[in-house]
Amino acid sequence: MGSEVFRFKRFQVNHGLSSMKIGVDSVLLGCWASFKGKRILDVGTGCGIIALILAQRFPEAIIEGIDIDPPSIEEAEKNFRESPWSSRLKSTLISFEEKVRNEKELYDMIISNPPYFRSGIVSPNSQREKARHQASLSVFTLLSEGVKLLKQGGKISVIIPTEFRDEILEKSFEHNILLNRECFVKNNEKGKEKRILMEFIKGVSNHENKEKKKSFLTLFKDGNPTPEYRKLSEDFYLKF
């Protein structure tokens, strides 16, 4: 497969080999996520785009991207190595479940554009898709297992289709990780909100979490990026 390169203002990303290509959802999530601390885990890193965005945004962060797809890890490693933040980026070929079992040090944030939700359905070639796109990794797994890897006050940030919101909120209550922020996203002013950026926080009660915020983002108006979309992504997209 030939090389495919996507250029941002301060780095470029090869994404011809990986299971996760450059997409709007991953860029949105990387730009929207909030972070305090030191260690970040990017689950299902693909070509490493989310990890690279976070490395640019948070100069003190140490970021590890994990994936079960060898070509993805190979490509992420190359992208990390060629970026300005190579000393703070690491890629590892490992499943999320194995990471949870074996990791000794806790993280301040887990972030993921869950592959199952990216596709919406499982391909007819399900075994291959399960291997390459981690179709079995859902946001429910990220919440139930990821909480074990988080420090108190640590966060899990994801982007999901809107129809899964209520089910995911119910799951978060079961695992002592509660909604902190959410942003409903639609492509244009006439469209419907089809996906949500969600941030969960560990070990904070509903009483303590009075500041949880709900916001809305429209990406395009009259065929042009909205001011809000430009502001969110202006440090990355060349056209912004």
Side-chain angles (χ1 to χ4, degrees), residues 2 4 6 47 64 95 101 125 135 138 155 183 194 219 228:
E4 299 175 34
F6 194 100
C47 62
E64 180 179 5
S95 71
R101 287 195 301 269
N125 191 2
S138 73
K155 297 173 180 177
C183 179
K194 294 185 177 180
L219 301 184
E228 295 78 15

Side-chain angles (χ1 to χ4, degrees), residues 32-207:
W32 180 83
S34 66
F35 175 71
K36 288 183 180 180
K38 193 75 173 179
R39 302 186 77 220
I40 299 174
L41 181 66
D42 176 19
V43 181
T45 194
C47 62
I49 177 57
I50 293 175
L52 287 160
I53 289 174
L54 296 178
Q56 178 177 323
R57 292 185 60 210
F58 304 112
E60 302 302 318
I62 305 298
I63 306 161
E64 180 179 5
I66 65 171
D67 208 294
I68 62 170
D69 180 45
S72 295
I73 288 299
E74 178 185 344
E75 197 158 54
E77 185 174 342
K78 173 180 171 62
N79 290 329
F80 292 169
R81 186 173 61 247
E82 294 178 352
S83 79
W85 314 286
S86 57
S87 63
R88 298 190 285 111
L89 289 160
K90 175 186 177 182
S91 61
T92 306
L93 182 67
I94 190 172
S95 71
F96 182 57
E97 291 78 8
E98 187 177 354
K99 186 71 173 175
V100 172
R101 287 195 301 269
N102 298 327
E103 182 62 39
K104 305 300 181 185
E105 194 173 349
L106 297 178
Y107 289 86
D108 299 289
M109 181 167 75
I110 296 171
I111 192 166
S112 182
N113 179 4
Y116 177 83
F117 292 106
R118 282 202 297 272
S119 62
I121 60 171
V122 177
S123 164
N125 191 2
S126 59
Q127 286 303 110
R128 179 175 182 274
E129 291 303 306
K130 187 173 181 179
R132 282 189 57 77
H133 298 285
Q134 304 173 45
S136 62
L137 175 61
S138 73
V139 71
F140 306 112
T141 304
L142 287 167
L143 292 175
S144 62
E145 296 299 309
V147 70
K148 301 172 185 177
L149 287 178
L150 281 181
K151 297 177 182 177
Q152 282 292 107
K155 297 173 180 177
I156 294 179
S157 295
V158 295
I159 184 166
I160 63 158
T162 55
E163 60 262 34
F164 295 104
R165 178 181 180 273
D166 291 346
E167 191 175 357
I168 288 165
L169 287 178
E170 183 178 339
K171 177 66 70 173
S172 72
F173 278 106
E174 295 175 9
H175 297 284
N176 191 33
I177 183 161
L178 301 181
L179 181 66
N180 191 49
R181 293 191 301 148
E182 60 182 339
C183 179
F184 293 76
V185 181
K186 61 181 179 180
N187 288 333
N188 57 69
E189 68 272 24
K190 295 180 180 179
K192 294 182 178 180
E193 291 144 359
K194 294 185 177 180
R195 53 200 187 276
I196 313 173
L197 295 153
M198 302 185 81
E199 175 184 273
F200 297 88
I201 188 166
K202 177 181 177 179
V204 175
S205 71
N206 274 329
H207 176 72

